[in-house]
Amino acid sequence: MLLLAPPAHALDGPHNFRNANIADRAEQRANGTWAGQCLVFASDMIVEAGGPRFWFGDNTSTYQAQWAQRAASVGSLAEARRGDVIQWGGGAGGPGLHTAIVTAPGSNPSVIDSNVGWDERVHRGSFSSRNGSATPYRIWRVGRDDSPPPPPPTDAGKPFGNVDVLTGASGGHVQVQGWTIDPDERTASTDVHVYIDGPAGSPGVRGVNLGAADISRPDVAQVHGGSGERHGFGAAIPGVGPGNHSVYVYAINRAGGGGNPLIGSTTVNVPADAAGSPFGAYDELLERAGYKADVHGWTIDPDAPGAATEVHAYVDGPAGVGRGINLGDADVSRPDVDAVHHAGAAHGLDERLSDLAAGAHTVWLYAINRAGSGDNILLGAKRVWISGPSPIGHLDVLAGALPGSIALNGWTMDPDAPTSPTEVHVYIDGPAGSSGARGVNLGAADVLRPDVADVYAGGGPDHGFSTAIQGVPAGPHAVYVYAINRAGGGDNPMLGSTTVNIPEKPAGTPFGSFDTASGGAGLASITGWTVDPDAPTLPTDMHTYVDGPAGSGARGIDFGAADRARPDVGAANRGVGDSHGFEKTVGDLAPGRHVLWVYAINRAGDGGNPLLRTLPVTVGQPAAAAPQTGEGTVIPPSGQPSLDTSACATAERAKAKAWKKMSSAKRAYRKQRTAKRRRQYEKTRRAYSTAKKRATKLC
């Protein structure tokens, strides 16, 4: 278990490695080497130092929640230590979010970061030189702080608060709930530490960092005006043996003067579970679109092992305090539970909580005694962060790989209107609102993204965007992509930004036109023409990609030569002849809206493979008796006409294939929750995890 330093000292992170190791790893890279975007660089250094991977843009938890759950929040620059991660900026219309690693503490800490000036290379600097606009910052500590503790703070400005619930509970738990505010940063959430079997600093005590007290407490806001609502905390600490235990709860000073005061303590009795009480596990609590969360687990009553046991959930407080919800019987098939306890498979819980406000919540789960002797057992308490009313999403592709165009691909969803498409705006050469920036409205993000629907159940698949912005001059351009809030509160968050380089158009590059795209029953028909100036009388090959550019993993089709008669092309381009048109059919398309990307493939001489155009198309339901297969040869996912046989490319293809199999198995299991389909889903999930690790290692 995590042993915390006495609260009067600098915070430790929740992971057992030297926090300074992060800075040590960064020092080895601080020579101008390429390292990618700032967030990726920081995450890589944490992993190399022995910490966890921060998966930015993960679909089951927000970016902010990852830091809150995996790192300790440090209050001010004065408290920063070597190896801390510092972040500032972000938000539409303002400086972009930036992340750096502290290498020397002080009032103006030294930092190492990547992607300063959009060059994606590692540099040294200082906090003041990086954060020139003096935007708000956050500091996170992932590992153990081995630096000397700061001088004992004065008592002025210390946090205050109250412990409302502190008691022992069934299943070996200590329940704690309350609130706290730091008067020096009244609107920020304050961390809370709990010590069991002795006060902070006592030998052999067990320390637990509850993290930020950021659960909504409107009652606290009414009394302490101007502080906001995010000051509540609540948890069920597991693994506590039966009997009496002294428990001490501390509020951790966030900023300014003051120490880390004890805001509550008592001796609690953890009861021994009565014979015949239910038992089980609280496996997962996962955010879902539309202010919802999914609860997963299982439970068995030993007095009625063949019958399903009822489960109750309580939101933001234990039984008798929080909002109670009867989840009904835990009767979902769980063959894994049956394999261990031999009580039948129908003991699983897979239920959804609705009407959760934006922000942090703690959900307490109880198994209700069904028969014979025994009590109602607390299975545990878990936290979940519910995304606010601002849209969520991810920018998958943002590149300037072709002359004159910027390729974009991704998805977005507004939790206030999860089934409706959300608009996307792009700004070139400056963020939204800056002078001279070019703004482009991509319109509604309504391209089919079944993978998004798999994760955000109930939102539907129509949340993708995929297009190319034309008419961009050669050279570097800073590009900013925003999701536009559709309904309810919230703002227009930036999905991503980077600097792309638009290459010069090489001499001899093919040219042409993607004229039309029309949808049919499970298919789309496309027309156009192309000519290669280095072989003007010969037909030029053309490739088509569905819902993404070449190289993005989108489905690609090599249609071969564009050799249909186009007298208009021959008349307009003297000496090239008429055989340069294409009329092709793209088959096997799911019903709904798609975007087609059409490329001309350089045939001879110098030049690249230019994107002729992107066009949207709406496809109808295919005829069941005669499914369309389309024309042409499927292009490998790399987007190249010939297969890349490098170890990295092979691993990436294996990962993509494993992802498709896992997604298919997951959809099948959701439709019919049988033991066989669950085993298949678990098998494909393990295979995808293995393929992903291999691709990460090789690439």
Side-chain angles (χ1 to χ4, degrees):
M1 282 302 186
L2 176 66
L3 292 177
L4 303 179
H9 293 181
L11 287 178
D12 283 348
H15 302 279
N16 190 25
F17 68 95
R18 289 181 63 250
N19 199 64
N21 287 356
I22 300 172
D24 294 342
R25 302 300 301 183
E27 293 279 5
Q28 299 176 22
R29 302 285 296 276
N31 56 0
T33 57
W34 183 89
Q37 296 188 15
C38 58
L39 290 172
V40 175
F41 171 68
S43 182
D44 287 346
M45 297 304 97
I46 292 171
V47 171
E48 291 182 15
R53 169 70 66 182
F54 285 75
W55 294 107
F56 302 104
D58 177 31
N59 288 331
T60 60
S61 70
T62 67
Y63 161 81
Q64 295 293 347
Q66 286 200 57
W67 286 102
Q69 292 170 2
R70 298 185 175 195
S73 178
V74 179
S76 66
L77 285 177
E79 298 173 77
R81 297 288 181 269
R82 179 175 169 83
D84 286 351
V85 175
I86 187 167
Q87 299 170 324
W88 63 92
L97 177 71
H98 193 66
T99 303
I101 297 169
V102 175
T103 56
S107 59
N108 182 25
S110 299
V111 299
I112 291 176
D113 53 4
S114 180
N115 204 28
V116 175
W118 311 103
D119 65 354
E120 299 198 350
R121 295 179 181 276
V122 185
H123 296 285
R124 298 176 185 271
S126 67
F127 175 69
S128 63
S129 68
R130 296 291 192 256
N131 189 15
S133 300
T135 57
Y137 62 86
R138 291 292 299 269
I139 303 173
W140 301 98
R141 185 163 301 150
V142 183
R144 190 178 66 248
D145 179 20
D146 291 333
S147 60
T154 64
D155 211 31
K158 67 180 180 182
F160 59 92
N162 188 63
V163 178
D164 305 326
V165 175
L166 185 54
T167 184
S170 59
H173 292 89
V174 169
Q175 299 183 143
V176 58
Q177 187 176 32
W179 61 271
T180 182
I181 296 173
D182 189 327
D184 294 313
E185 284 195 7
R186 298 184 66 87
T187 61
S189 298
T190 303
D191 280 7
V192 175
H193 292 183
V194 176
Y195 291 81
I196 301 175
D197 294 327
S202 300
V205 300
R206 174 187 172 191
V208 180
N209 183 352
L210 300 188
D214 56 0
I215 295 173
S216 179
R217 286 291 298 263
D219 56 324
V220 174
Q222 288 179 357
V223 175
H224 300 279
S227 298
E229 296 184 0
R230 299 291 174 193
H231 296 292
F233 60 88
I237 301 171
V240 184
N244 293 328
H245 299 270
S246 58
V247 183
Y248 300 79
V249 183
Y250 296 85
I252 306 304
N253 188 57
R254 181 181 178 86
N260 302 321
L262 179 70
I263 59 174
S265 68
T266 192
T267 296
V268 304
N269 181 265
V270 177
D273 293 341
S277 296
F279 60 91
Y282 186 177
D283 295 331
E284 288 182 316
L285 180 62
L286 301 176
E287 179 198 5
R288 289 295 178 254
Y291 304 101
K292 299 178 178 66
D294 284 352
V295 183
H296 301 288
W298 62 271
T299 182
I300 298 172
D301 189 329
D303 294 317
T309 302
E310 195 172 279
V311 177
H312 292 181
Y314 287 83
V315 179
D316 293 337
V321 178
R323 172 167 69 99
I325 304 170
N326 185 346
L327 299 182
D329 288 342
D331 56 3
V332 174
S333 178
R334 285 291 298 264
D336 56 324
V337 175
D338 182 40
V340 174
H341 298 284
H342 308 293
H347 292 289
L349 181 70
D350 186 358
E351 295 294 335
R352 176 156 296 174
L353 303 176
S354 301
D355 300 323
L356 297 174
H361 296 276
T362 301
V363 178
W364 312 62
L365 202 63
Y366 294 83
I368 307 304
N369 189 58
R370 180 183 179 94
S373 60
D375 300 321
N376 301 333
I377 296 297
L378 174 65
L379 297 178
K382 291 185 180 294
R383 279 171 58 93
V384 66
W385 182 274
I386 300 299
S387 298
S390 298
I392 56 176
H394 191 259
L395 182 61
D396 301 328
V397 174
L398 177 55
L402 296 165
S405 68
I406 295 173
L408 301 104
N409 186 264
W411 66 271
T412 183
M413 175 191 295
D414 190 329
D416 289 315
T419 61
S420 300
T422 301
E423 277 195 359
V424 176
H425 292 183
V426 178
Y427 289 82
I428 303 172
D429 296 327
S434 61
S435 177
R438 173 190 171 190
V440 181
N441 183 352
L442 301 187
D446 57 1
V447 175
L448 287 177
R449 285 293 297 260
D451 56 324
V452 175
D454 285 345
V455 175
Y456 292 92
D462 300 323
H463 295 289
F465 58 91
S466 182
T467 190
I469 299 173
Q470 305 288 356
V472 185
H477 297 272
V479 183
Y480 302 79
V481 183
Y482 298 86
I484 306 305
N485 189 59
R486 181 183 179 90
D491 55 13
N492 303 325
M494 185 164 63
L495 298 178
S497 68
T498 191
T499 295
V500 302
N501 187 63
I502 307 300
E504 295 281 355
K505 185 176 182 179
T509 295
F511 59 94
S513 174
F514 176 13
D515 294 333
T516 66
S518 57
L523 55 82
S525 299
I526 61 175
T527 66
W529 62 272
T530 180
V531 174
D532 188 332
D534 293 314
T537 61
L538 298 177
T540 302
D541 283 359
M542 47 84 60
H543 292 179
T544 299
Y545 290 80
V546 180
D547 292 335
S552 69
R555 172 192 168 198
I557 306 167
D558 180 356
F559 279 116
D563 56 3
R564 292 293 184 94
R566 282 292 296 263
D568 57 325
V569 174
N573 299 274
R574 190 180 302 274
V576 304
D578 295 346
S579 300
H580 295 288
F582 59 84
E583 295 179 12
K584 304 293 183 180
T585 299
V586 182
D588 295 325
L589 293 177
R593 187 178 185 274
H594 298 273
V595 175
L596 303 180
W597 302 61
V598 174
Y599 294 81
I601 306 305
N602 189 58
R603 180 184 181 93
D606 296 330
N609 303 326
L611 173 69
L612 298 181
R613 194 182 181 191
T614 63
L615 283 177
V617 63
T618 300
V619 174
Q621 188 72 34
Q628 299 290 334
T629 58
E631 306 173 17
T633 303
V634 174
I635 301 173
S638 63
Q640 302 300 324
S642 60
L643 200 62
D644 185 348
T645 58
S646 68
C648 171
T650 301
E652 287 291 348
R653 287 194 294 273
K655 183 178 77 170
K657 185 177 180 181
W659 167 261
K660 290 180 179 179
K661 287 185 176 181
M662 182 184 71
S663 298
S664 176
K666 184 176 182 180
R667 288 193 295 270
Y669 176 59
R670 282 184 176 274
K671 290 180 180 179
Q672 187 177 6
R673 294 180 180 274
T674 64
K676 181 178 180 181
R677 290 194 172 185
R678 181 180 178 87
R679 287 195 298 271
Q680 182 63 26
Y681 170 53
E682 293 294 340
K683 180 179 178 181
T684 58
R685 187 168 68 171
R686 290 192 296 270
Y688 172 67
S689 178
T690 300
K692 183 178 180 181
K693 290 178 181 178
R694 177 171 176 78
T696 301
K697 180 179 179 181
L698 294 175
C699 300

